[in-house]
Amino acid sequence: MQTPQLWSSVVVDARLWNKCDVSAAALLDLLQFSLERGGEHHLNLEVYVVVQHHNAIFQLLSQHARRWKTAIIWGKDVDHGLRACRGNLHRLEKLSLAGKWKAVDVFQHAPRLREMTYRGAEDGLPIMPWKQIT
């Protein structure tokens, strides 16, 4: 349980939180615990957010942005929650986004980002470092 690598993949599906017997506060505590257990090991994220919980979830995840290696993020209007990640995505290599991301520039300064998938309206495409994406 003390091995950071065991905590390197985190899945957060907040779409289910309102249907769960556990409170959102307890689920956030579990997320924080999982992130802390990962230490400085790289982090692979799969995150499905809903408006009700996205600020709290991204506040926690943003504190670990320097560790993100891969990220799959689904949601709407999440740009505000991700602003703290700007300039801290040095390990991010692979990114998949779905939802509304219009004018989001958080990922523009991710020097290792090479692979990107986007699902959404063309006018919602985030600002990306297109020249380095293969």
Side-chain angles (χ1 to χ4, degrees), residues 69-105:
K69 184 175 181 181
T70 64
I72 300 169
I73 306 173
W74 294 68
K76 289 195 274 185
D77 303 320
V78 297
D79 57 323
H80 300 293
L82 288 175
R83 287 185 182 161
C85 293
R86 186 181 291 118
N88 292 315
L89 297 169
H90 305 295
R91 291 187 189 180
L92 185 64
E93 296 175 4
K94 185 176 179 180
L95 178 64
S96 181
L97 302 174
K100 187 175 180 180
W101 293 87
K102 190 173 185 175
V104 174
D105 67 352

Side-chain angles (χ1 to χ4, degrees), residues 20-113:
C20 185
D21 291 336
V22 179
S23 71
L27 293 168
L28 285 168
D29 286 344
L30 287 172
L31 175 58
Q32 182 174 359
F33 176 80
S34 298
L35 292 167
E36 289 171 356
R37 281 281 174 111
E40 289 302 315
H41 198 276
H42 70 261
L43 187 57
N44 300 303
L45 296 173
E46 190 169 336
V47 183
Y48 301 85
V49 294
V50 293
V51 173
Q52 182 181 1
H53 303 294
H54 80 271
N55 284 334
I57 290 169
F58 283 122
Q59 182 179 3
L60 286 175
L61 293 176
S62 294
Q63 293 172 17
H64 297 267
R66 69 193 178 283
R67 299 175 41 214
W68 294 14
K69 184 175 181 181
T70 64
I72 300 169
I73 306 173
W74 294 68
K76 289 195 274 185
D77 303 320
V78 297
D79 57 323
H80 300 293
L82 288 175
R83 287 185 182 161
C85 293
R86 186 181 291 118
N88 292 315
L89 297 169
H90 305 295
R91 291 187 189 180
L92 185 64
E93 296 175 4
K94 185 176 179 180
L95 178 64
S96 181
L97 302 174
K100 187 175 180 180
W101 293 87
K102 190 173 185 175
V104 174
D105 67 352
V106 170
F107 305 106
Q108 187 175 9
H109 304 288
R112 292 187 183 179
L113 184 61

Side-chain angles (χ1 to χ4, degrees), residues 2-3 8 13-14 22 24 31 35 66 77-78 84-85 87 99 103-104 106 110-112 114 117-119 125 127 133:
Q2 298 296 328
T3 306
S8 66
D13 191 345
V22 179
L31 175 58
L35 292 167
R66 69 193 178 283
D77 303 320
V78 297
C85 293
V104 174
V106 170
R112 292 187 183 179
R114 297 292 181 267
T117 304
Y118 173 75
R119 293 174 188 88
L125 195 62
I127 299 168
I133 295 177

